[in-house]
Amino acid sequence: MRRSGEFELIRRFLAPLATAAGAGRLEDDAALLDTPGDGRLVVTTDTMVEGVHFPGDGPPGLIARRLLRCNLSDLAAMGARPDGYLLNLALPGRIDDPWLEAFATGLAEDQEEFAVSLLGGDTVATPGALTLTVTAFGSASAPVRRSGARPGDRVFVTGPIGDGCFGLKAVRGEIDAPRLAERYWLPSPRFGAAEGATAAADISDGLVADLGHICRASGVAAVIDLEAAPLSPEVAALGPEARLEALTGGDDYELVLTARESPAIPVGRIVSGEGVTVVDSAGQPVPLARQGYRHD
Amino acid sequence: MRRSGEFELIRRFLAPLATAAGAGRLEDDAALLDTPGDGRLVVTTDTMVEGVHFPGDGPPGLIARRLLRCNLSDLAAMGARPDGYLLNLALPGRIDDPWLEAFATGLAEDQEEFAVSLLGGDTVATPGALTLTVTAFGSASAPVRRSGARPGDRVFVTGPIGDGCFGLKAVRGEIDAPRLAERYWLPSPRFGAAEGATAAADISDGLVADLGHICRASGVAAVIDLEAAPLSPEVAALGPEARLEALTGGDDYELVLTARESPAIPVGRIVSGEGVTVVDSAGQPVPLARQGYRHD
């Protein structure tokens, strides 16, 4: 199969995604962003490498949608609403036009789902691994930082913990759980959930690690009740070891929030000190083999 | 030599570059951008892969500065002033702390030179090639697009053509021209030069190709006078073939402008029709082996 040259590739697959006026049909050296009328412009960027951040032989449409959703999740963690994104593709020789078409179709689906437009980007060849970067733009009237957690806050999560790491096992065929595989490919950015929180982060490295980032930025400590962490039935069925693995597994893209009150699911509390402690139902600290999953 | 983990790497090498308040010491899921008080926010992004866009064994400080300057050049082409940038690094195993330190030192030099701040980014491991992405932000009170060229405009360039492609030959040791090698590594973004132009682009693919992009976006044609293109003495000394190669060589990061008048150097004119023609001193079309350099 052939692959279109850069300009043909842009014209065929990417320009149709550039629905915002400021994208200028991807013809200019740069995009013009419509800045929010009220509130702050919020920007985030993630790079994903095949074999490191996703299976390179996965369906291109799902690779595209996961790439976009993981970035949108960062906007949700900041209490922002999404507007648009830039896309940088470093493509190895094996990537052909049918792959690109399926990739663009996946993006188009999620552009509709989340009301965002492609704004620009860059497409290059690489002798190495498929490397995908999305830079997402949003706006927030009251941005939520990681530094606002205070002793007395409670800790909440927006949904099941562990679907990401066990979903990856399902994608790899290590466990039989098709619904978790879909959750791995299609995380749900939790827009609106961070509103009113004192601090928030999305769970990409694992609940313990990402709550740890909040604690470090806020100068506080946190206690997580092991039994309070919500698990999907498929994960709970794997036994008590899976519960601990879920807390440090990563790739969930649920949010972890600190607040006095929230409609989200309470899993712990903020206290004075440093670090994150997981405790059992008797209040005893549970030893952790690791804090979270690190891609680096 | 060891390489720091992601968080240590950010703390040691990148956080000191995040001087803007909205970067939040790189602690949050996203950066908050100060949007321009008047004018439009302008955004551009470039991905560079070692072995494709730059020699991977080059000095890390110069790799960093060229990466940043090539992006700033896109802002200059839009008639924008620079504000800040995001940095995405996909690092192969051989990249160690001394390399990262030299890379960050190069960025710090150019942050001072161009009054910009690091705003955020992402750092990941790759089994493949060193892959660097910068996304640069600026503001423009009157953005210059590629689509505004009209018959009767003249075509201008902001400086010598061919320093980029012959500079790369110098970097590779194929010719002896140390000043051109430095021009390859440290292009000069031409801020202010696009003001008042009807259209502009920076010369990354080659003068003929980039003027071609303007013509396509504007629905016009262009004629370039071969003898009018300004050449550096080192390039002119290489003979008449070099003159033609300079016009299609790329990597110059001078601007090509269309305007009625400009203080820049006139090299041709906009006419009705399609495409770019190069003519000799007798007005005869000169055959071109290629339109420009394509990295894809």
Side-chain angles (χ1 to χ4, degrees), chain B residues 197-262:
Chain B
T198 54
D202 74 336
I203 301 173
S204 51
D205 295 339
L207 172 60
V208 171
D210 289 301
L211 182 55
H213 302 330
I214 289 177
C215 287
R216 195 161 41 243
S218 300
V220 298
V223 179
I224 295 174
D225 296 314
L226 180 61
E227 298 300 324
L231 301 186
S232 286
E234 299 94 325
V235 176
L238 295 170
E241 286 299 314
R243 173 169 289 273
L244 212 52
E245 196 173 340
L247 260 60
T248 56
D251 279 333
D252 283 323
Y253 299 99
E254 299 292 341
L255 301 188
V256 52
L257 313 169
T258 62
R260 295 285 157 159
E261 282 305 328
S262 164

Side-chain angles (χ1 to χ4, degrees), chain A residues 6 28 31 43 145-146 296, chain B residues 6 28 31 43 145-146 296:
Chain A
E6 183 180 3
D28 286 303
V43 181
R145 313 291 293 252
R146 288 184 179 168
D296 64 305
Chain B
E6 182 181 1
D28 286 304
V43 181
R145 313 290 292 252
R146 287 183 180 169
D296 64 310

